[in-house]
Amino acid sequence: MTFGRPVRFLSLLLGALLAMSVPVGAAAADSRTDGRVTVSPDAAPWRAVGRLNIAGFRVRRHCTATLVAPDLALTARHCLRGFRGEAWVAPDLVHFLPGFSRGGYVEHRQAVGYEPVGEEAVLVRLDGRVNVEPVPIAAPGTQPGTALFEAGYSSDRGQVLTVDPACRFLGWSPEGLWRHDCEAIGGDSGAPILVDTGAGLAVAAIHIGRRGTDGLAEPLDAGRLRQHAAR
């Protein structure tokens, strides 16, 4: 529908920090007990991750979205529900700010329509192309045990992008969702769950919520997303 922790663990963690292009000293200074680190919006792929602001007359909320094509941002469907129970909030109330950090951002784009690509995964069609390299979509086949990276604008630190660089794909839920142990809370809905492809990080799923102590993420249909991106 289109609408207008042994040696192996330490090695993986060090590799994750280097892959984020964050100076190790700076990352350590920003570390919290939950494992998240603040990353610079100037480095790829983080500059393609942004705050998705949804602003009504009296109600404001935010989620996280990822640029996956020059004019498409990937997020979670429940972030776009109308304020009064409508299936969708009006697109002109939705704003994507890639590379957002403490009030600054790389660019500002407004939504013009939505294109669902899963039960929760949805593409936000933007009102123009963003001059930022999109994050690639991972090929299917990620298996339980795979190391993950989760990047989002958590509600407790919503002015900066934080990344959990040392979490894992724990297994499948009965509904076919990924169970993960990434630190993700309110504001992280729609956040990219990334995997290391060997050639760089690629988004393989989006965070959609929690069940008990586990995070839940919807894996992406890479072929379906590429079809939309090619339009």
Side-chain angles (χ1 to χ4, degrees):
M1 164 184 165
T2 298
F3 168 58
R5 282 174 190 202
V7 174
R8 174 63 176 162
F9 172 81
L10 293 175
S11 176
L12 285 169
L13 178 58
L14 178 58
L17 292 172
L18 292 174
M20 289 190 292
S21 301
V22 179
V24 172
D30 257 311
S31 293
R32 291 161 59 93
T33 55
D34 61 18
R36 289 175 295 169
V37 295
T38 301
V39 296
S40 169
D42 298 326
W46 314 124
R47 62 191 286 111
V49 182
R51 261 183 65 131
L52 194 74
N53 290 340
I54 302 95
F57 179 63
R58 293 182 178 176
V59 181
R60 294 174 183 267
R61 62 178 184 252
H62 84 266
C63 284
T64 303
T66 307
L67 193 73
V68 294
D71 63 345
L72 291 172
L74 175 70
T75 192
R77 183 171 186 153
H78 70 263
C79 294
L80 302 170
R81 289 193 191 119
F83 295 113
R84 298 180 180 178
E86 307 95 327
W88 301 99
V89 69
D92 61 0
L93 300 180
V94 178
H95 301 265
F96 177 56
L97 305 173
F100 180 87
S101 180
R102 297 183 173 91
Y105 43 85
V106 176
E107 292 192 36
H108 171 206
R109 289 288 180 265
Q110 185 173 294
V112 294
Y114 312 128
E115 301 175 15
V117 289
E119 291 298 316
E120 268 288 321
V122 61
L123 294 171
V124 178
R125 181 73 64 176
L126 306 173
D127 64 353
R129 296 168 67 89
V130 179
N131 189 29
V132 170
E133 183 178 357
V135 180
I137 305 300
T142 302
Q143 297 298 313
T146 298
L148 305 175
F149 302 76
E150 185 273 340
Y153 289 90
S154 306
S155 58
D156 61 345
R157 305 186 75 188
Q159 294 297 310
V160 294
L161 180 66
T162 59
V163 172
D164 185 340
C167 48
R168 292 198 171 273
F169 177 10
L170 301 176
W172 296 92
S173 78
E175 306 92 337
L177 300 172
W178 287 12
R179 295 169 40 248
H180 65 79
D181 61 358
C182 304
E183 295 291 342
I185 58 175
D188 286 302
S189 289
I193 305 291
L194 303 122
V195 296
D196 188 348
T197 66
L201 297 181
V203 58
I206 59 163
H207 174 73
I208 61 173
R210 303 200 69 85
R211 179 178 296 153
T213 59
D214 292 346
L216 295 176
E218 182 176 45
L220 302 175
D221 183 332
R224 190 172 176 185
L225 263 70
R226 292 187 183 113
Q227 287 177 0
H228 282 263
R231 293 179 182 174

